[in-house]
Amino acid sequence: MAAASLIGFGLVVITVSMLTSLLLSGALVRFAKRLHEVGPRAGRRAATLAVILPPLIGVIVSGTIAASSLLAYFAGQDHCLGHGHHLHLCPIHGAQWLSEPWAVAAMAFFGTFVIVRLGQTVWGHVSAQRLARRLRLVGEPIGHYEHTFIVPSDERFAFTAGVFTPTVIISRAAWDALDVSQRQAVLAHEHAHVRNGDLWKRAILGLLACFGAPILIQNALKLWDIASERVSDHEAARQVGKPSVVASAILRLARTRTTNQVPAVAVFAAACHVEGRIHSLFDHPESGSHAAKKLLIVLVLGVGAVALAVASFSESLHHLLETILG
Amino acid sequence: MRTRAKSVRPLGTLEERVMRILWRGGPLSVREVNGRLGEDSLAHTTIMTTMDRLYKKGLLSRIKEGVAYIYSAALTRDEYQQRLVGATVSELMTKDGDAAPVLAAFVDAAAELDEENLAKLEALIAERRRSGD
């Protein structure tokens, strides 16, 4: 077995992943409006698929080629012996990849990128956990809710932080600005994030996005963020019984910014589109669960079909990729 | 009276105890603070170093009386906590895109809303409330 063949297979994963991402993220942008109308769960599922599928398909293609190569070799039908004019995508005869500077450089660049991104993400979560703990220490627990605190601050904000122990933080100023039902709406919204595991799911998607088409994959993540906010809005509306209560809470906290009462501390990366969220609560009461389930079925069938197609045409695909890369 | 303004950081155990004493009553000298630690009193120099550090962090102010400094809290406990929260939230929010999953804010401050849009949304919500939504 040639360890250097991993360079070749790695390049296959990246190439297939980037191309698939280009296709899926492009489709996501194309159908974003339609997904918005169908419901946030469908939008979130579609965005999830646009991020997860490219590396998954890349691994399927690469794995299938490696498996078929090995099977052929052990069956005495080693195809590599028949053509020596290019590099081999083969676990046995793939040692030549190491002598190709461009291939080594590409894998080194990509490997460094993924490792740095992984380090940044892990460090981000560890430090966020530490900061959330600091807020818990000065915070006052809210009723019987777990990991939910009011912190002393004149600025109005409400958020959830911490992947390992998600903590809901609401500022005293925000709490005092809301009426009882609006407070319930805000808590229900944040607890929906915790219940749905949005923080850790987003962390994983952020890492998988390394394998996606630049720029387009960021759009997919943004769509996921917005859809997740809307899912939490819908769950909060269901819990408090009235979408208008959730909408009024969103507006109450959003309004503080126009009066310059919230400085830069309330800025965070994921865009949430206040106006869209409020219209979504009233105009699209369905969360799009059915469509999300259909998308999941499509995913399973799609991945199955891809795996089947790759397995069926593994030999041709193998040669094609060898010709392109080698 | 001299103070030093610095960004607020969390207090260590001894720093917390010293601040509590000064929040309860002050101004006090190092010796007096150490005396109020009761059974937990420490070496004079340890308390002096701790209070000097708190002064440098901007949490204490001090005036010189003879050869000794007299310290008092530069911030009330509430002010300290508010600043600590502000600094912590700021640190959380200003992380780059990779830290985005760390947070799920109820309202995104980056969203742009003008007064006209807000008024329209308010009218929409009022209308829906009237219709029982």
Side-chain angles (χ1 to χ4, degrees):
Chain A
M1 297 285 273
S5 63
L6 287 177
I7 295 174
F9 289 114
L11 287 172
V12 169
V13 172
I14 296 166
T15 309
V16 173
S17 181
M18 291 285 172
L19 290 173
T20 316
S21 176
L22 205 64
L23 204 70
L24 292 179
S25 296
L28 197 65
V29 171
R30 170 74 181 77
F31 295 108
K33 197 178 170 198
R34 176 78 190 113
L35 286 166
H36 180 85
E37 288 165 1
V38 172
R41 284 192 186 280
R44 191 161 77 152
R45 181 64 54 79
T48 305
L49 295 181
V51 178
I52 289 178
L53 280 183
L56 183 65
I57 291 175
V59 169
I60 288 175
V61 170
S62 192
T64 309
I65 289 172
S68 69
S69 256
L70 281 176
L71 284 174
Y73 177 78
F74 288 115
Q77 297 167 330
D78 186 2
H79 87 281
C80 297
L81 301 175
H83 59 103
H85 59 283
H86 56 58
L87 297 166
H88 298 296
L89 278 173
C90 166
I92 309 292
H93 304 101
Q96 283 172 302
W97 286 98
L98 203 55
S99 57
E100 291 293 326
W102 70 269
V104 175
M107 278 312 291
F109 174 79
F110 191 76
T112 308
F113 174 65
V114 171
I115 289 168
V116 168
R117 190 67 178 269
L118 181 69
Q120 281 179 331
T121 305
V122 170
W123 174 247
H125 289 305
V126 169
S127 61
Q129 198 69 30
R130 175 178 54 82
L131 294 170
R133 186 173 168 275
R134 190 189 290 176
L135 291 174
R136 283 203 299 271
L137 289 175
V138 294
E140 176 192 329
I142 301 176
H144 61 279
Y145 296 107
E146 211 178 356
H147 305 305
T148 306
F149 299 87
I150 297 179
V151 293
S153 177
D154 290 336
E155 295 145 14
R156 296 183 190 181
F157 54 78
F159 61 82
T160 304
V163 171
F164 311 109
T165 314
T167 304
V168 176
I169 302 290
I170 300 174
S171 71
R172 169 60 64 191
W175 189 253
D176 291 343
L178 301 168
D179 64 30
V180 175
S181 58
Q182 288 170 333
R183 287 173 185 172
Q184 284 177 342
V186 173
L187 289 175
H189 172 101
E190 295 301 334
H191 289 142
H193 278 306
V194 177
R195 203 170 41 251
N196 293 332
D198 286 347
L199 295 168
W200 67 261
K201 283 178 187 168
R202 180 59 170 75
I204 292 171
L205 290 179
L207 280 176
L208 288 175
C210 292
F211 295 87
I215 303 172
L216 278 176
I217 200 76
Q218 295 307 321
N219 280 333
L221 290 176
K222 191 178 274 187
L223 203 145
W224 192 92
D225 291 335
I226 295 170
S228 294
E229 289 303 324
R230 289 176 58 208
V231 167
S232 291
D233 286 343
H234 280 262
E235 287 191 25
R238 203 165 43 247
Q239 204 164 320
V240 298
K242 287 185 176 181
S244 60
V245 173
V246 181
S248 65
I250 293 171
L251 203 58
R252 180 67 62 89
L253 292 188
R255 185 171 265 288
T256 60
R257 291 198 310 281
T258 59
T259 54
N260 294 325
Q261 287 176 2
V262 175
V265 294
V267 176
F268 96 116
C272 300
H273 205 271
V274 168
E275 205 177 341
R277 281 169 62 187
I278 290 175
H279 281 296
S280 164
L281 275 166
F282 293 134
D283 304 336
H284 308 292
E286 292 301 316
S287 66
S289 314
H290 292 301
K293 278 177 194 161
K294 281 182 191 169
L295 273 171
L296 189 65
I297 294 167
V298 169
L299 159 77
V300 174
L301 293 176
V303 170
V306 167
L308 200 66
V310 170
S312 306
F313 300 101
S314 66
E315 192 63 19
S316 313
L317 190 64
H318 187 163
H319 283 299
L320 177 70
L321 286 167
E322 277 181 339
T323 308
I324 292 171
L325 294 172
Chain B
M1 187 174 287
R2 299 174 65 191
T3 55
R4 284 182 169 210
K6 288 276 171 76
S7 65
V8 177
R9 308 288 300 169
L11 297 171
T13 312
L14 182 57
E15 288 176 336
E16 172 102 36
R17 284 161 67 195
V18 168
M19 285 306 297
R20 275 187 191 170
I21 289 168
L22 284 157
W23 276 325
R24 273 202 299 269
L28 297 170
S29 67
V30 174
R31 192 174 301 281
E32 286 168 327
V33 169
N34 202 9
R36 292 190 187 194
L37 285 171
E39 291 176 0
D40 300 328
S41 63
L42 297 160
H44 181 79
T45 48
T46 306
I47 303 300
M48 192 166 68
T49 309
T50 303
M51 291 175 74
D52 185 57
R53 196 164 56 237
L54 288 168
Y55 163 72
K56 285 174 179 164
K57 284 181 178 178
L59 296 174
L60 294 180
S61 57
R62 68 187 183 190
I63 50 169
K64 199 159 192 177
E65 276 192 13
V67 291
Y69 282 113
I70 303 296
Y71 289 88
S72 51
L75 301 172
T76 64
R77 189 180 175 81
D78 285 349
E79 284 170 341
Y80 164 74
Q81 287 194 335
Q82 285 212 14
R83 284 199 193 180
L84 182 64
V85 167
T88 307
V89 171
S90 186
E91 208 177 326
L92 270 168
M93 302 291 187
T94 53
K95 287 191 175 300
D96 63 12
D98 290 320
V102 170
L103 295 163
F106 184 68
V107 172
D108 172 23
E112 286 179 12
L113 280 171
D114 56 37
E115 193 57 42
E116 194 184 341
N117 267 337
L118 284 170
K120 276 183 191 169
L121 290 170
E122 244 166 24
L124 174 71
I125 292 168
E127 187 192 317
R128 295 291 179 147
R129 276 191 151 169
R130 276 195 299 276
S131 65
D133 268 358

